[in-house]
Amino acid sequence: MNGIGAGVDVSKAYLDVAVFQQNEVRRFDNGAAGWRALVTWLKPYGPGQVVLEATGGYEQRALGALHEAGLPMRRINPRQVRSFARATGQLAKTDRIDARILAHVASVIDLVPFQPLDADAAKLRQYKARRDHLVQNIATEKQRRRQLDDPILRADLDAHIAYMEQALHRIEQVIADLIKDTPQARIARTIKGVGPAMVATMICDLPELGHLSRKAIAKLVGVAPLNRDSGFFVGQRSTWGGRAGPRSALYMSALTAAHHDPQLKAFYAALIGRGKPKKLALVAVMRKLIVILNARMREAIAAAPTP
């Protein structure tokens, strides 16, 4: 990190780009021609980090293209950016202001490098997103059905739920085929409780797995205990933040592993035996599980043949 930071504010049509402590904010089309022009304009500045926000998918293709062109890309949670903006007294919000804020962030905070997905993982991400939508929609429709008395409406919902469940089954079959020969799937088979949903999450939403330290990966997922101390006051450590999707999948895996995996079951039982609350003990299992997965993924990466 050389202190020269660049920020990219992403919208569906445009990319607004700023370099820290430079007055100019350039706008480029969010497409192949715009990405090439952006790279040509930005590279002479030699930025140490180029930061953009996660924007629900609009950033994905640009992020990959700019990384491939050799820019040191970083992706950041929008909540962190807004907190940074408020801390610096910037309450207004426009595309140009956001680009400048992102450039300021890039110049002073060392962020986790972007890890691109390969073609297979990118395909898996689409199927995983479809699976997640179906799971959510099925739960919503079942909840709605419980509130209905009319038999015609209930029958209509039953048909819709049955259709989505069939679609979910097909999607999960494709996901199982896509992940079966991956290093993540081989690692998952060594831990009881890490199923296909967690494997797909590891591949799609945690490409940093195996590339970070144990503390960094725990913090990235949001299961690292954070201090709350001031003066003589020593507050209770707590976990918060991190990536919501991976943390949710990790929770479900830890819930199963705490009762069925020999190592994690013994760890969980020992915590309960020392009087720890069940919720706290489960969070500790989540942290231990992601640390184990990270270590084994690092070993798999190191053992992989050099292309």
Side-chain angles (χ1 to χ4, degrees), residues 58-170:
Y58 288 138
E59 84 284 359
Q60 292 289 350
R61 294 173 62 235
L63 186 58
L66 298 179
H67 173 85
E68 189 174 338
L71 291 176
M73 302 306 298
R74 309 288 190 267
R75 179 168 47 194
I76 190 171
N77 189 307
R79 173 184 52 79
Q80 293 174 270
V81 180
R82 293 318 305 161
S83 295
F84 184 91
R86 286 193 293 269
T88 56
Q90 182 55 262
L91 302 182
K93 191 178 189 306
T94 68
D95 294 340
R96 294 171 64 86
I97 289 173
D98 287 352
R100 287 196 171 102
I101 290 293
L102 288 165
H104 193 175
V105 170
S107 71
V108 297
I109 301 177
D110 195 9
L111 298 168
V112 176
F114 168 67
Q115 294 288 339
L117 299 179
D118 60 26
D120 291 337
K123 180 179 180 181
L124 175 62
R125 172 177 273 173
Q126 295 183 45
Y127 279 94
K128 179 182 177 297
R130 178 58 179 158
R131 177 197 175 274
D132 293 344
H133 291 155
L134 285 169
V135 169
Q136 180 60 49
N137 289 340
I138 289 170
T140 300
E141 290 291 70
K142 286 183 175 180
Q143 177 64 27
R144 185 176 291 119
R145 186 188 185 280
R146 286 193 285 269
Q147 299 170 359
L148 293 175
D149 297 323
D150 187 282
I152 296 176
L153 292 177
R154 289 172 70 102
D156 182 68
L157 279 179
D158 286 340
H160 189 209
I161 291 169
Y163 168 79
M164 289 193 293
E165 287 178 337
Q166 291 171 5
L168 177 62
H169 177 72
R170 292 193 298 270

Side-chain angles (χ1 to χ4, degrees), residues 175-196:
I175 289 175
D177 289 339
L178 289 172
I179 68 175
K180 65 181 179 182
D181 295 324
T182 62
Q184 292 87 344
R186 290 193 290 273
I187 290 167
R189 287 193 283 270
T190 67
I191 304 173
K192 295 184 183 297
V194 181

Side-chain angles (χ1 to χ4, degrees), residues 237-254:
R237 275 48 175 168
S238 61
T239 60
W240 62 280
R243 294 183 185 170
R247 189 171 60 254
S248 177
L250 183 64
Y251 170 80
M252 297 306 298
S253 292

